[in-house]
Amino acid sequence: MSELSENVSRRTTLRLLTGAAAAAAAATGPAPAHAHAAAPPGTGGRVDDLLARLTLDEKLTLLHGAKDPRGLGQAGWIPGVPRLGIPPLRLADGPAGVRVRAHATALPAPVMLASAFDPALAREYGRVIGHEGRALGQDVLLSPMVNLIRTPYAGRNFETFSEDPLLTSDLVAQEIRGIQDEGLIATVKHFALNNQEKDRTTVDVRIGEQALHETELRGFEAAVAAGTGAVMGAYNKVDGVHACENRALLTGILRETWGFDGWVMSDWDATHSTVPSLTAGLDMEMPAGRWYGDALRRAVRDGTVPEAAVDRSVRRILHIMGRFGLLDGTAPARPTTRDREAGARVAYRVAVAGATLLRNEHATLPLTGPAARSLAVIGPTATVPFVSGGGSAHVVPDRADSPLDTITARAGDGARVAHALGEDLYGKPLPVRGASLDGQRVRPGRTYTYEGALDVDDPDDWTFVVHYSGERPKVSVDGTELFARQDREAELFAGFGLVSTAPDGLKVRRRTLALTAGRHTLRVTATGEQIFRLRHITTATRAADLAEAVRVARAAHSVVLFAYEDAAEGRDRTTLALPGHQEALIDAVTAANPRTTVVLNTSSAVTMPWLDRTGAVLQMYYPGQEGAAATAAVLFGDTDPGGRLTQTFPVSDTRHPMAGDPRRYPGTGGVQEYSEGVRTGYRWYDAEDVEPLFPFGHGLSYTTFAYAGLAVTPAPGGGLTARFTVRNTGRRTGVTVPQLYVGPSPDLTLDQPARVLAGYRRVELRPGQVRHVTVPIAARTLSSWDPARHAWVLGTGTRTVRLGTSARDVRLTARAKVLPL
């Protein structure tokens, strides 16, 4: 546990004493120079002066995005007012690094950062992004994302932290501090309840007041308490009202209850009105000015909107710009260059710290002795480094080595490391006569056409794969166009990610057709300038790849098999199974060699019907540009796997909180009900007595630990203090993450989970080393939200506190009395 939960108790106590409608977030502490809530001396006067001198048209230019005349590839731009010395703002995506056209450090996905259970590391992660953002010409970061992991299908689970509100709160607060330490304005998103991608622009979320405050809102509270400069409104509706015009959220909770003094921007194209959104509390429309441009000008001039409402939003933006020294030239000098090596070091540390060993039978890992000298490395992501997820999380990395190369180098001279593809992502050349479709160049201004025959020996499903560098070629088989353009959002986010980009950078699209035996007509039209390839995958090519993988596995002492799942913004998953034919690949390889380690590069939980046949399973998520080095270090035992699951992994698609209830996910009739209430994530598994595949907090070490002497005592301000000892009983230096879970209060009639995470501490120990650990449990964690009072109520009485290494693996139990305030 970090200083965060310890410090929160003081502020929480004050709010509980006064009966305020909200308390401090789970993270407080010293604010960095550019993240404090109060404006620097003189800033208020400067803002007043600017407001008095701005024309209405100039004010409106600050309230909506425009096209940057010298765009750097960032997501948005606010022009500023040069006449008055108000600089423009450049806004860049950045959940795992700064997303612009230029190279940046590709950090591991936030879910991997969270797996380290280390708020201090989250601050370093934020500092890298903050420093690089400013060095790359950016002013505002559109990150971090703090929506809870509610459904395992959500396409952006890798961009956020956890299913647990406390862990999420601790991490987001520290990441924001790190970002803003460097003078970059952070934007917490997506406010609120944007927990899925399916129907995200239309779904209407319904949630009870208690569940809203105890689950989803805690991370946003923590972000506000940490001084975030901006908040991004969500796409979805909440209680029938679009989030970006929802007064209860944007004004009632965010400003009146939490005291947020920054500005609220819309998600891109998430503004739906002029007057309702502005009066509800939305300050900035992105990325353009459909509602806050001419429409807002007319509304002010005809008296529909008082100019004072425009001034209020402008003031909020200028206030934050002033806080960060952007109005008076006091901002720290923008770095002239990125510190690439420093970024790479943090990327590596996060990937190692978040590497989560889920299974390790018969000492399969670490790879030592014969296992390290005779290896088969299998899978497409063994040679194509899986750096990041798709969509707004995509970063152009400085470098990204392949795991195969890194493993081969680490195994050293004299070792035998063989590779087999196993699962083909990019296809084999098409068997056509009279054309070269595998690397065809098209000159500028020219058009390439081909029409010919495609002969098929047996009925089969053919997957056609087109690689292209320019405008997508038109390809048809028997008159069926294969790669027609999709809707705007699908096209926007389809181009970034593992399966949609070839190893040489060409864009990739796929289409599967059932072809009968016989001759088929193939037509191709491609316009220049570009290079394209047209390839295919069939049952026969898959069988050949599988046979080669089995042959290579049998010939080696041990196997490392890389499996993937490619997620991106704009789409949810439809199953928790690994995509393609990877399950068949794992079945065949483990049958040939049971000393197989499966390395998972996935966005979130996956089902594992093949689990019992493996030797080990290592969860590496999307590990960033240093992922290959980190993976090799863990596989060979150069470092302990330091990660723990921040989300529960279910056994199957039918055994998780969303299963079998379409009202919960994805919603019915456009409405989604969060009927699980306060029982999110592992709390639902407890309530329903469902056994997960792997519980929240699970993760193995290469050493062993003993825990003793748990004692829990009352602390001032309504909290508790837990003390215990941890000893490394093994022969290797290793990491453990003891976790404290607290049971319900006997004095509250409110709905309460069977247990909630109350504290944690990441501990690294040498062999035989003992550490005495103290973990504070904040009054906020011991409180419930009372909808009748619209306030937090302390859960007094005797509470059970369990110490475990996961939500299901309890080692020690104690009881303590929570005293009334």
Side-chain angles (χ1 to χ4, degrees):
M1 187 65 177
S2 70
E3 62 183 329
L4 308 174
S5 293
E6 182 175 15
N7 291 340
V8 74
S9 61
R10 294 191 293 273
R11 181 178 284 187
T12 302
T13 299
L14 292 174
R15 299 253 180 142
L16 289 167
L17 282 167
T18 60
T28 61
H34 294 278
H36 50 74
T43 300
R46 171 70 168 149
V47 170
D48 290 340
D49 176 64
L50 289 171
L51 269 173
R53 298 167 63 192
L54 284 164
T55 67
L56 176 61
D57 285 350
E58 288 171 336
K59 292 172 185 176
L60 297 183
T61 64
L62 297 173
L63 300 189
H64 65 81
K67 184 177 181 180
D68 188 348
R70 66 176 198 94
L72 304 176
Q74 79 276 8
W77 184 67
I78 302 297
V81 183
R83 179 179 72 86
L84 298 176
I86 300 174
L89 293 175
R90 288 185 170 85
L91 302 83
D93 287 315
V98 183
R99 183 181 178 232
V100 292
R101 278 196 299 271
H103 290 268
T105 299
L107 293 160
V111 71
M112 192 168 200
L113 166 69
S115 299
F117 279 69
D118 189 348
L121 187 58
R123 190 160 187 164
E124 293 188 49
Y125 185 98
R127 281 184 176 131
V128 170
I129 297 175
H131 177 86
E132 295 200 356
R134 298 202 69 236
L136 292 167
Q138 304 303 306
D139 307 288
V140 181
L141 185 78
L142 305 174
S143 186
M145 177 178 172
V146 75
N147 303 101
L148 289 186
I149 296 176
R150 176 178 178 261
T151 168
Y153 299 115
R156 299 180 81 175
N157 281 347
F158 67 96
E159 285 191 57
T160 191
F161 298 110
S162 172
E163 69 187 23
D164 180 77
L166 173 66
L167 179 61
T168 296
S169 299
D170 287 351
L171 296 170
V172 72
Q174 289 296 71
E175 185 181 340
I176 284 172
R177 288 193 176 99
I179 293 164
Q180 298 191 158
D181 280 345
E182 302 294 330
L184 191 68
I185 300 168
T187 306
V188 68
K189 63 184 186 183
H190 310 83
F191 193 61
L193 300 164
N194 184 180
N195 304 113
Q196 65 189 55
E197 294 299 280
K198 184 173 175 57
D199 302 326
R200 67 176 181 173
T201 61
T202 58
V203 70
D204 180 10
V205 177
R206 306 296 172 88
I207 186 173
E209 183 179 326
Q210 180 185 358
L212 175 65
H213 283 268
E214 291 187 21
T215 59
E216 174 80 354
L217 290 189
R218 285 197 65 181
F220 290 99
E221 263 190 293
V224 170
T228 188
V231 171
M232 181 186 291
Y235 282 116
N236 51 280
K237 298 175 184 176
V238 179
D239 290 332
V241 181
H242 285 287
C244 285
E245 57 186 46
N246 193 305
R247 180 176 175 82
L249 285 175
L250 303 185
T251 296
I253 292 173
L254 186 60
R255 297 194 183 279
E256 295 175 354
T257 300
W258 297 344
F260 176 63
D261 64 354
W263 87 83
V264 179
M265 72 181 75
S266 73
D267 205 337
W268 269 224
D269 295 314
T271 310
H272 296 275
S273 65
T274 300
V275 178
S277 59
L278 186 74
T279 56
L282 183 73
D283 303 305
M284 181 183 288
E285 176 192 2
M286 293 303 294
R290 175 185 178 188
W291 302 101
Y292 279 21
D294 290 341
L296 182 51
R297 181 183 297 105
R298 289 193 298 269
V300 172
R301 288 177 174 167
D302 67 17
T304 306
V305 172
E307 191 165 349
V310 172
D311 289 350
R312 180 183 61 188
S313 290
V314 172
R315 180 183 295 278
R316 290 166 177 167
I317 296 164
L318 293 177
H319 166 67
I320 296 301
M321 293 179 71
R323 238 178 69 188
F324 282 76
L326 299 177
L327 297 180
D328 58 7
T330 60
R334 195 180 290 276
T336 56
T337 59
R338 296 167 41 231
D339 189 339
R340 297 183 181 184
E341 292 310 309
R345 286 193 297 271
V346 172
Y348 175 80
R349 286 181 54 207
V350 173
V352 166
T356 306
L357 185 60
L358 300 179
R359 172 181 169 87
N360 193 22
E361 297 297 309
H362 310 298
T364 299
L365 293 180
L367 299 173
T368 59
R373 295 192 296 273
S374 173
L375 275 172
V377 180
I378 295 171
T381 49
T383 55
V384 181
F386 202 153
V387 175
S388 64
S392 60
H394 178 76
V395 176
V396 182
D398 289 312
R399 63 174 186 271
D401 297 329
S402 81
L404 176 61
D405 290 345
T406 306
I407 289 170
T408 301
R410 174 59 183 80
D413 295 339
R416 188 177 75 252
V417 180
H419 172 254
L421 183 63
E423 173 89 351
D424 189 1
L425 294 180
Y426 306 109
K428 309 290 192 291
L430 268 178
V432 294
R433 297 190 184 96
S436 176
L437 300 180
D438 195 55
Q440 177 66 49
R441 292 187 177 275
V442 186
R443 297 182 182 277
R446 304 293 295 274
T447 299
Y448 172 88
T449 59
Y450 169 80
E451 181 173 340
L454 180 64
D455 293 321
V456 176
D457 294 334
D458 299 299
D460 197 4
D461 288 340
W462 279 56
T463 297
F464 292 89
V465 188
V466 63
H467 307 202
Y468 59 101
S469 62
E471 183 179 341
R472 188 181 311 160
K474 292 183 178 180
V475 180
S476 67
V477 174
D478 297 334
T480 298
E481 187 173 351
L482 300 186
F483 307 112
R485 293 189 67 82
Q486 305 174 73
D487 62 75
R488 178 180 176 276
E489 185 170 80
E491 287 292 339
L492 182 63
F493 296 119
F496 302 104
L498 174 74
V499 301
S500 54
T501 308
D504 60 358
L506 268 62
K507 292 169 280 189
V508 175
R509 296 292 185 275
R510 295 167 183 78
R511 176 74 181 275
T512 300
L513 289 181
L515 297 185
T516 58
R519 177 158 292 185
H520 299 267
T521 301
L522 173 69
R523 292 186 176 89
V524 181
T525 303
T527 58
E529 171 185 15
Q530 71 164 308
I531 184 171
F532 75 90
R533 297 184 286 261
L534 186 60
R535 295 182 170 181
H536 76 299
I537 303 169
T538 64
T539 299
T541 67
R542 283 193 296 269
D545 289 334
L546 185 65
E548 175 64 7
V550 168
R551 184 190 68 76
V552 168
R554 282 187 178 137
H557 180 281
S558 297
V559 177
V560 178
L561 191 157
F562 285 81
Y564 73 91
E565 174 263 320
D566 192 25
E569 180 178 357
R571 66 174 188 259
D572 280 351
R573 301 156 69 190
T574 57
T575 176
L576 301 184
L578 290 169
H581 296 78
Q582 292 182 96
E583 289 190 353
L585 173 65
I586 295 172
D587 285 343
V589 169
T590 53
N593 190 333
R595 294 180 298 277
T596 295
T597 295
V598 175
V599 177
L600 293 170
N601 292 130
T602 63
S603 67
S604 187
V606 294
T607 50
M608 305 180 197
W610 37 264
L611 179 67
D612 290 345
R613 295 184 291 279
T614 64
V617 178
L618 177 63
Q619 175 61 258
M620 290 299 294
Y621 297 105
Y622 301 157
Q625 68 179 48
E626 305 301 319
T631 301
V634 172
L635 289 173
F636 286 92
D638 300 333
T639 184
D640 205 41
R644 303 296 183 265
L645 290 182
T646 69
Q647 58 194 298
T648 308
F649 277 34
V651 170
S652 71
D653 279 293
T654 64
R655 303 291 283 169
H656 59 78
M658 304 299 115
D661 190 345
R663 294 171 302 173
R664 286 188 184 175
Y665 177 84
T668 57
V671 176
Q672 184 178 41
E673 300 175 10
Y674 283 37
S675 55
E676 71 273 17
V678 298
R679 292 173 177 82
T680 57
Y682 61 88
R683 304 173 182 187
W684 178 88
Y685 288 86
D686 287 343
E688 300 297 323
D689 195 25
V690 172
E691 189 69 25
L693 182 64
F694 295 111
F696 173 90
H698 172 74
L700 305 176
S701 168
Y702 291 150
T703 188
T704 55
F705 298 91
Y707 311 87
L710 176 63
V712 184
T713 55
L720 297 172
T721 301
R723 296 178 176 86
F724 54 91
T725 60
V726 183
R727 180 166 61 93
N728 183 339
T729 55
R731 298 180 179 179
R732 303 173 61 97
T733 296
V735 173
T736 183
V737 182
Q739 303 150 41
L740 295 167
Y741 295 86
V742 64
S745 163
D747 297 342
L748 291 181
T749 57
L750 297 166
D751 194 15
Q752 299 177 75
R755 74 185 87 186
V756 299
L757 182 69
Y760 54 89
R761 176 68 57 80
R762 181 181 178 86
V763 179
E764 183 173 353
L765 298 175
R766 299 183 303 275
Q769 185 180 3
V770 176
R771 182 168 299 170
H772 301 281
V773 180
T774 299
V775 178
I777 299 175
R780 161 58 67 85
T781 301
L782 300 169
S783 301
S784 295
W785 181 269
D786 187 345
R789 303 185 191 182
H790 307 295
W792 290 98
V793 179
L794 183 63
T796 55
T798 301
R799 309 287 292 267
T800 300
V801 178
R802 297 176 175 88
L803 171 66
T805 56
S806 76
R808 289 294 177 100
D809 184 7
V810 175
R811 303 298 179 91
L812 301 170
T813 300
R815 289 174 176 80
K817 182 167 288 188
V818 176
L819 303 176
L821 294 171

